[in-house]
Amino acid sequence: MKKELKIFDKPKNVKRLLGSFYVSLLILLIIDFFIQKHAEFPWEGATEFFAVYGFISCVLLIFVAKILRLFVKRDEDYYE
Amino acid sequence: MSNLIPLPAIFIIGALFIPFWGGRLKSAYMLALPVLAFITLVSMPEGKYWIVNILEYDLIFGRVDKLSMVFGYIFTIITFIGVLFTLKVADDMQRMAAFMYAGGALGVTFAGDFLTLYLFWELLAISSTFLILARRTKASQAAAFRYILVHVFGGLCLLAGIVFYIHNSGTAEFGYIGLNGAASYLIFIGIALNAAIPPLHPWLQDAYPEATVTGAVFLSALTTKSAVYVMARTFPGAELLIWMGAFMTIMPIFYAVLENDIRRVLAYSLINQVGFMMVGIGIGTQLAINGTVSHAFCHILYKALLFMSTGSVLFMTGKIRCTDLGGIYKTMPLTCLFCMIGAASISAFPLFSGFVSKSMIISAAAHGKLAVIWLTLQFASAGVFHHAGIKVPFFTFFSEDSGIRAKEPPLNMLLAMGITAFLCIAIGIYPGPLYSILPYPVDYVPYTGAHVIGQLQLLMFGALAFCLLILSGYYPAEMRAINLDTDWFYRKGGRLFYHAMDRIFNGLNSVSDRILAGALASYLGRVSKEGPVRVALLFLAPVWVLVGIKGEKLAQKRLNIEKAIDTGTSPIGISAAVATIFLIVIFLLM
C-alpha cells in the first residue's frame, strides 16, 4: 500500500481549514456591499439576504429533521 | 435516413450479442455500441423516421427534434460512461440489462406516438429490475420485486390513460396533452410515478440503494429523466406540477439528513433534484423548460458521478453506511476528489455544472413572480448542499477514521469518474455548448456578480450552520436505523392486506366447512335416512292404534317398518300408499 494522506490528522491543518473558511465567509459578507443587484423580489436585494437565508434554512432543516426522526425512526429489521 | 439502424435498436439488439464476445473484445464491443449510437444521433436531421404501420396506427420510432435530441445526447453519453465504469464487473446479465435499459430510454425519447412510448416504457421497467436483482442478496431480491410491482402499476395507469386518450382524441400522437379529463390524469399518474413525485416516490429510495454498484449508475440516470422528458412533452405549464415539484424539492432533504445509507441519501437527493425539474415544467416558459432540460442533462452527470464514487467505496470496502465509513480519503484520494466534484456540482457551486442549469429554473420562478416557490427552491438549494454537498463526502471520506484502508478502484472506474468530473466542471465553466442544444434560444447569463455572490453566500452560510451544529453536537447523529416513508403503506399495508384476506377468506372457508360439510351434510344424511321412516310411521301409527294394535306388537311393527325402509325392502303397498299421500298433500297445497 502506498503512503496514506494524513493532512486532517493534524489538528493544525483542521484549524487552518476552518480559519480560511471563516475568512472566506467574512469576505463574502463584505463583497455583498459592493455588488450591483437586480432583484425580482424586494428581499432579494436586501443586504446579506442570502447569507441569512442560507444559515436559517440549514438550521431549520436540522431542527425539522430531528423532529421528523421522532416519528419515522425504526430498527433496521423493521420490515423483516 | 432510412438505411440507418433505429437508435434504440443499436442498444437492444446489440445487448443480445454481448455474451458471444470474450476478454478485451467484449469490452471494445460494449464501448463501441454507445459510440455508434452517438454517431447515428448526430447524423439525424430533425423529422420523423422509422414509421411502422400496424392496425391503422403509425408506430413512430424516430421523432427527432431539439427536445428529444438533448435527451438522446445525454442518454448516450451516460451509457458510454456507465459501460466504462462496469467493464470489470464480470456479469453478462447486468451488462445486457443495462444496454436494454438504455435502449428503452432512447426508445422513449424518440417515440413519436403513445403506443411506441408505452412499449419502451415497459422495457425500461423490466430491464432495470435486473440491475437490482443482479446484486443477488435477499434484500435486493425483495426490493426488486416491490420495484417491478410498483412500476407495473404505473405502467398500467399509463396504458389505461393512453387507451382512453386515443379513444377520445382519435390520435395516438405523443405530444402536448394538458391536465383535463380522466385520460390525462391517468397518463399523468403513470409518468409521475416514474418521475418519483411524492407520494409515488418511495420505490426509488427503496430500490436504488439495493442495486448493484454499477446498476445504480444507470438507474440514477435513465428512469426518472426519461419521465422528465415525457412530462415536459405532455404537461408543460401544468400549474399542479409547480406545487408538486416544490414539495418534492423539500420533502426528501429531511430524510436525506437522517439517512444512514449513503446511496439512500443520494436517492433522496435525486428525488429533490427532479423536483426542480418538475417546477420548471410546471412554469412552462421557454426559460423554465430550458432550465429543466439543461438541469436534467447536468444532473445525470453529477448524480452518476456521485453514485460512481460512493459505489466505488462500496465496491472496495463492502460498506456503504455512514456509521461504518470515515477517513477513507487517506487511501482513496482520487475517488474522494471525484465525489467532491459531484457534490459541488449538485450543490450548484459557481464553476460547476449545477450552477448554470438550476439557476435558470429559479430565475424562471422569479420572472413569474412566484415568491413562495422561489423561497422554497432557495431553501431546497441550501438543503441540497447540506446533505449531498457536505454530508455525503464528509461521512464517507472524512469524519471519524473507521480504520478502513481500501485501495482506489480499478482504472476503468477511475477513468469513468474522471470523464464525468471533467464534464461537470467543463459545463460549469463554459455552458455555451450545452445552452446551444437546448430546445429554445437561450438568453440567460448565469455568471453575474449578484448571482455568484448570492449563491456563494447561500451555500457557505449553510455550511457554517453544518459546522456549528456538528461542533456543538446538535447535529442528528448517524444511526443504524431506517426511516419510514410512504412505502410503508404497501410494505406493511401489503402484509396487513394479506393477513386481512387470510382471516376473511380462510375464516369464511372454515365456517362454510363447518356449516356445509359438517352440520348440513350430516343433517341431510340423517333426514334422508330417518325421514321416510318417520313419514311412514306418522301415517301408519294412528291406523294401527285405531285397528287395536297395542303394546309389544305395536313396537314390533314399528321396528319392522324401520328395518324394511332401512334395507329398501318395504312392501309395495306401503310405498304406494306413501306416494299417494304425498301426491294428495301436493294437490291440496296447490
Side-chain angles (χ1 to χ4, degrees):
Chain A
M1 179 112 267
K2 285 185 295 183
K3 68 175 178 179
E4 295 174 9
L5 277 175
K6 286 186 174 173
I7 47 170
F8 297 118
D9 281 357
K10 294 176 188 157
K12 195 174 72 179
N13 287 338
V14 177
K15 270 193 179 163
R16 271 186 197 159
L17 184 76
L18 277 177
S20 48
F21 173 61
Y22 295 136
V23 169
S24 62
L25 292 179
L26 196 66
I27 294 171
L28 279 173
L29 289 178
I30 295 167
I31 291 180
D32 198 64
F33 289 101
F34 304 100
I35 291 288
Q36 195 191 353
K37 310 224 168 141
H38 44 90
E40 294 274 359
F41 302 109
W43 58 79
E44 203 185 343
T47 313
E48 319 294 6
F49 166 76
F50 284 97
V52 175
Y53 196 72
F55 186 83
I56 291 175
S57 293
C58 282
V59 173
L60 192 69
L61 171 66
I62 297 305
F63 185 71
V64 175
K66 283 191 99 156
I67 295 171
L68 180 70
R69 177 172 264 179
L70 297 177
F71 296 98
V72 299
K73 194 183 134 217
R74 293 292 183 278
D75 289 338
E76 279 188 313
D77 58 357
Y78 173 73
Y79 283 117
E80 281 157 27
Chain B
M1 245 349 276
S2 56
N3 58 354
L4 283 174
I5 317 160
L7 202 52
I10 296 177
F11 285 169
I12 295 168
I13 297 174
L16 302 176
F17 293 94
I18 291 175
F20 298 108
W21 299 87
R24 285 172 181 241
L25 275 176
K26 191 196 281 274
S27 301
Y29 172 74
M30 289 198 301
L31 287 173
L33 287 176
V35 173
L36 178 65
F38 197 81
I39 293 169
T40 310
L41 192 63
V42 291
S43 60
M44 291 193 318
E46 292 192 6
K48 289 180 180 174
Y49 321 104
W50 307 310
I51 301 169
V52 183
N53 189 284
I54 294 177
L55 300 172
E56 298 175 30
Y57 287 108
D58 282 338
L59 299 184
I60 303 163
F61 290 88
R63 184 255 308 266
V64 180
D65 59 11
K66 287 201 108 172
L67 185 59
S68 53
M69 280 300 269
V70 187
F71 283 88
Y73 285 132
I74 189 61
F75 287 156
T76 319
I77 291 170
I78 204 63
T79 305
F80 180 83
I81 291 169
V83 168
L84 180 60
F85 187 72
T86 195
L87 283 183
K88 287 276 161 66
V89 178
D91 180 2
D92 277 347
M93 178 172 103
Q94 272 193 67
R95 291 162 168 163
M96 290 173 73
F99 271 108
M100 292 273 183
Y101 184 32
L106 284 181
V108 164
T109 307
F110 290 101
D113 65 281
F114 278 120
L115 294 175
T116 312
L117 170 76
Y118 178 73
L119 201 72
F120 287 111
W121 193 264
E122 291 298 345
L123 179 64
L124 275 181
I126 296 164
S127 52
S128 55
T129 307
F130 285 91
L131 294 176
I132 305 162
L133 279 175
R135 182 103 175 264
R136 295 181 172 88
T137 60
K138 204 176 152 218
S140 73
Q141 311 268 315
F145 186 62
R146 289 191 295 274
Y147 175 87
I148 190 68
L149 283 182
V150 169
H151 281 279
V152 164
F153 167 75
L156 287 177
C157 283
L158 181 70
L159 179 64
I162 287 173
V163 170
F164 282 139
Y165 179 77
I166 294 175
H167 180 74
N168 295 343
S169 67
T171 171
E173 195 191 340
F174 168 29
Y176 176 77
I177 298 178
L179 275 176
N180 50 15
S184 68
Y185 277 98
L186 280 169
I187 294 176
F188 183 80
I189 290 171
I191 305 168
L193 190 136
N194 268 27
I197 298 181
L200 303 172
H201 69 285
W203 59 268
L204 197 155
Q205 57 83 17
D206 178 23
Y208 284 14
E210 302 300 340
T212 62
V213 165
T214 50
V217 179
F218 289 96
L219 287 165
S220 76
L222 301 177
T223 297
T224 45
K225 258 59 72 186
S226 54
V228 167
Y229 165 77
V230 176
M231 199 66 105
R233 266 216 191 280
T234 46
F235 297 104
E239 200 189 332
L240 183 64
L241 273 177
I242 302 179
W243 296 100
M244 292 181 104
F247 179 71
M248 194 173 169
T249 60
I250 50 171
M251 192 280 284
I253 58 181
F254 298 112
Y255 277 95
V257 168
L258 299 177
E259 188 53 55
N260 190 22
D261 185 316
I262 296 279
R263 292 203 301 172
R264 193 156 276 130
V265 175
L266 292 178
Y268 274 116
S269 89
L270 200 166
I271 299 170
N272 147 284
Q273 292 295 299
V274 176
F276 282 93
M277 297 170 212
M278 289 301 135
V279 172
I281 296 170
I283 295 172
T285 58
Q286 292 196 352
L287 177 63
I289 296 292
N290 272 346
T292 295
V293 174
S294 60
H295 200 45
F297 193 100
C298 297
H299 170 82
I300 286 176
L301 291 171
Y302 60 64
K303 186 54 81 179
L305 182 55
L306 286 167
F307 267 106
M308 284 193 282
S309 51
T310 53
S312 298
V313 172
L314 174 61
F315 186 68
M316 299 308 292
T317 67
K319 295 180 176 18
I320 196 61
R321 291 190 181 91
C322 292
T323 42
D324 298 337
L325 295 168
I328 299 179
Y329 79 92
K330 293 176 181 177
T331 52
M332 296 178 81
L334 279 174
T335 309
C336 173
L337 177 70
F338 294 139
C339 182
M340 288 175 73
I341 292 172
S345 302
I346 196 173
S347 311
F349 253 93
L351 302 181
F352 293 90
S353 60
F355 182 74
V356 301
S357 57
K358 187 163 75 181
S359 51
M360 288 169 103
I361 299 172
I362 298 178
S363 289
H367 289 327
K369 300 289 175 200
L370 302 166
V372 177
I373 298 297
W374 187 88
L375 286 168
T376 307
L377 297 186
Q378 294 290 10
F379 171 79
S381 298
V384 172
F385 180 48
H386 195 98
H387 71 260
I390 307 175
K391 176 176 171 169
V392 169
F394 180 76
F395 284 105
T396 314
F397 293 100
F398 302 100
S399 164
E400 204 175 322
D401 195 336
S402 59
I404 297 172
R405 295 288 180 269
K407 277 192 257 180
E408 294 277 15
L411 183 65
N412 66 303
M413 288 185 163
L414 286 174
L415 212 55
M417 287 189 272
I419 293 171
T420 320
F422 170 78
L423 289 173
C424 286
I425 298 173
I427 293 171
I429 294 175
Y430 188 53
L434 173 61
Y435 285 177
S436 71
I437 58 168
L438 295 180
Y440 301 106
V442 177
D443 176 26
Y444 181 76
V445 184
Y447 287 104
T448 63
H451 185 201
V452 171
I453 297 301
Q455 180 70 4
L456 281 175
Q457 279 196 346
L458 186 81
L459 298 179
M460 296 293 269
F461 280 85
L464 176 66
F466 181 85
C467 276
L468 296 180
L469 290 167
I470 281 266
L471 292 173
S472 68
Y474 186 76
Y475 192 88
E478 299 305 325
M479 290 180 179
R480 299 186 69 94
I482 61 154
N483 301 300
L484 298 186
D485 201 334
T486 52
D487 55 343
W488 182 87
F489 288 99
Y490 57 77
R491 293 179 76 173
K492 281 289 176 186
R495 270 180 219 182
L496 190 71
F497 180 75
Y498 177 83
H499 287 303
M501 291 299 112
D502 172 45
R503 278 286 172 85
I504 292 172
F505 286 112
N506 281 333
L508 208 61
N509 199 11
S510 71
V511 168
S512 315
D513 178 58
R514 273 208 305 278
I515 293 175
L516 295 176
L520 192 65
S522 69
Y523 172 75
L524 285 176
R526 242 182 12 252
V527 167
S528 58
K529 192 178 166 203
E530 297 173 3
V533 177
R534 288 191 182 191
V535 172
L537 287 178
L538 187 71
F539 291 102
L540 288 176
V543 178
W544 288 333
V545 172
L546 278 179
V547 296
I549 302 170
K550 286 181 202 165
E552 246 181 60
K553 214 171 177 192
L554 185 66
Q556 186 60 44
K557 276 225 168 232
R558 277 173 176 271
L559 210 63
N560 284 348
I561 286 290
E562 274 171 27
K563 269 188 187 166
I565 290 178
D566 211 23
T567 53
T569 52
S570 55
I572 290 171
I574 292 179
S575 304
V578 170
T580 311
I581 292 163
F582 179 70
L583 286 173
I584 290 167
V585 170
I586 295 281
F587 180 75
L588 288 176
L589 284 175
M590 281 169 73

